[in-house]
Structures are given as C-alpha cells and as structure tokens.
Amino acid sequence: MSRQSLAARTGDRIAVSLAYGVIGLGLAFLAIPLAITCLMAFDARTYLGPLPPPALSLHWFERLVSQADILTSLRTSLILAVLTTVLSVTVGTAAAVGLARGNFPGKAALTSAFLSPLIVPPVVIGFGLLLFLSKAGITNGMARLLLGHVIVTLPYCIRTSLASLLGSDQRLTEAAMVLGATERQAFWTITLPLMRTGVVTGAIFAFAISIDDVSISLFLSDPSATTLPVTLVSNMRAAFDLTIAAAAVVLIAVTALLIVVLDRVVGFDTVVGQGLFRS
C-alpha cells in the first residue's frame, strides 16, 4: 500500500470518527435534558434540590392533578387539539385534492399561500392574529385559539396529504370512473384510501403541534380559555417547582404515544425513511 493511500484511509477514518462524535454530541444534547427532567419529576423532595434525588416518589404528579387550573387548562388543550385536528385534516385534505387534481390560474401562488405560515414565526402569527381578531370583534378565547392553531397546523396537513396524492397513480381513479363509478364514489373508494398515509400523518402532526403550542396561545388565550403550556409558563413565573417537570413527563408520554400510533398506522420508515410517495 502506498503512502498516499494509507494517508487517505487515515483521513477517512478520522472524518468518520468526527462525524460519529458530532452525532453523539447532538443526541446527548437532545436526550440529557429530557432524562434530567424525567428524573426530577420523580424527586421525593418537596423542593428543587441538586441532582441526583435521594429518593423517588410520585407526589409531584399527585400535586399536578390536584391543581384545578392545570386540570382545566389540560381539558382545554385536549378539546382544542381535537377540534384543530378535525378542522385542519378536513380543510387540508380538500385543499390537497384541489391542488393536485385541479388546473386553474394561480395554482402555484395558491400552493405557496397555503404553505406560507410554515416560514412565518409563530410569534408574528400570534401577534398579527391578536390584532386582526380584536378588530374583527372576535373576543372568545376558544375561538381565537382554534383559529390560530388551525392556521399553524393546516400547512402540515396540506403538505402530507398533497405528497401522498401526488405519489399515487391517478389512473386508478380514472379507471374506476371508466368502469361506472361516480366522482364521489371514486373519491371515497380510490382517492381517499390512497391518501390515508398523508392524512393520518397530518392529523398526528396537527394534534401534537396544537397541544404543545406556546407562542400563539400566549397571545390568544384569555381567562376563560387557557391551554396547559400557557398555564405552566405562568406557574413557572409565579413559583418554580417540579410540578412543571411532572407535566413535561406527561407531555413526553403523549408525544411518545403519538409516535407509536404513527409507527403502527403508517410506519415510521414511510414518513422518515422512504417518504410519503410510496403510500
């Protein structure tokens, strides 16, 4: 083996080692705060002490479920997430069908308009919605939160549904109509089943984003409708304790459950590895 080849192999090994090191540091940066949060949520002490906790207990979770404001905000978050998911999936699926099958002037501009909230910071959307809805006379907190969450989650539903629909074979729908099916029958029996991967993925994303949103909810909440993340932020400012860590563990569990559902229903490799076009 020549000296140049040996030097090239050594350089490749160093580059691979550095890449693995960067990946490991990135994973550690993401995982260590979560691990510490989960550990502290089970701290048996009644105050915020140094790591590690001397004993484990569930009393922070008992305190979490005993606070009326947290339970009320949790119920609001769940109702809001379900309504947001239903509206976003319904509108997003219809919009995706129109964008994929329709041929009309301004189609590209309309596609960009539907996807534009993805590039607008949520803080800007929240502040803009607060000003607009106040001018429009919409003062109901739940209605304002629902509009804000739908605006943020709708692009995800459109994007995933559109990707599934563009990856499917349109000739299947045409064949069904040639064989005598009406447009409505072809949509329910052919088009919608072909889109199910994107629809389910968009629904899970919409639910997860809605239940975890803070930026927009801070602007649109009122005393009659406050979400769980906003309540936790308010409590953290007033008196910081490990009840917030217990709530974080609950949200992590909900997110993990959604990932499991996504894997069971759609297949995680389909979404992350192969993409939605193979649905």
Side-chain angles (χ1 to χ4, degrees):
M1 182 179 296
S2 66
R3 183 174 298 177
Q4 290 182 344
S5 299
L6 183 60
R9 288 195 174 186
T10 303
D12 291 342
R13 289 171 183 170
I14 293 175
V16 171
S17 299
L18 288 175
Y20 278 121
V22 171
I23 293 173
L25 287 176
L27 292 176
F29 182 77
L30 294 174
I32 289 177
L34 296 178
I36 293 175
T37 300
C38 294
L39 181 62
M40 295 303 290
F42 294 94
D43 193 345
R45 294 171 293 191
T46 57
Y47 57 91
L48 180 59
L51 284 171
L56 301 180
S57 172
L58 294 174
H59 72 90
W60 290 114
F61 292 92
E62 296 173 356
R63 183 171 179 176
L64 176 68
V65 299
S66 66
Q67 296 184 9
D69 59 337
I70 290 182
L71 293 180
T72 302
S73 58
L74 176 60
R75 183 172 62 250
T76 301
S77 290
L78 291 175
I79 294 173
L80 181 63
V82 171
L83 293 176
T84 298
T85 302
V86 172
L87 284 177
S88 295
V89 168
T90 303
V91 177
T93 302
V97 173
L99 292 173
R101 303 295 190 231
N103 187 15
F104 50 87
K107 178 179 173 180
L110 188 59
T111 304
S112 301
F114 273 126
L115 302 180
S116 60
L118 286 173
I119 61 174
V120 179
V123 174
V124 177
I125 296 175
F127 182 68
L129 276 175
L130 177 63
L131 296 179
F132 172 75
L133 296 176
S134 299
K135 292 290 184 183
I138 301 176
T139 57
N140 184 276
M142 193 66 178
R144 295 194 306 186
L145 284 170
L146 183 59
L147 286 174
H149 285 208
V150 168
I151 287 177
V152 173
T153 57
L154 184 59
Y156 292 92
C157 294
I158 294 177
R159 175 168 290 186
T160 54
S161 300
L162 189 60
S164 287
L165 194 56
L166 292 177
S168 63
D169 192 346
Q170 189 177 354
R171 291 175 297 180
L172 296 174
T173 304
E174 295 172 353
M177 297 179 66
V178 168
L179 294 174
T182 63
E183 291 188 6
R184 180 181 300 178
Q185 291 172 332
F187 173 78
W188 287 107
T189 57
I190 302 298
T191 304
L192 192 57
L194 290 174
M195 298 174 61
R196 69 181 184 280
T197 300
V199 173
V200 172
T201 304
I204 292 176
F205 277 133
F207 187 89
I209 292 171
S210 175
I211 205 168
D212 194 41
D213 176 77
V214 177
S215 304
I216 292 178
S217 300
L218 277 174
F219 288 98
L220 304 178
S221 295
D222 66 4
S224 65
T226 304
T227 61
L228 179 61
V230 173
T231 301
L232 293 177
V233 171
S234 301
N235 292 350
M236 186 173 62
R237 290 172 178 171
F240 185 79
D241 58 32
L242 292 178
T243 307
I244 298 173
V249 170
V250 173
L251 292 178
I252 291 172
V254 172
T255 304
L257 179 63
L258 289 176
I259 293 175
V260 172
V261 172
L262 180 66
D263 184 54
R264 295 285 184 180
V265 176
V266 180
F268 206 69
D269 290 340
T270 303
V271 179
V272 178
Q274 301 175 357
L276 299 171
F277 289 99
R278 294 189 179 183
S279 61

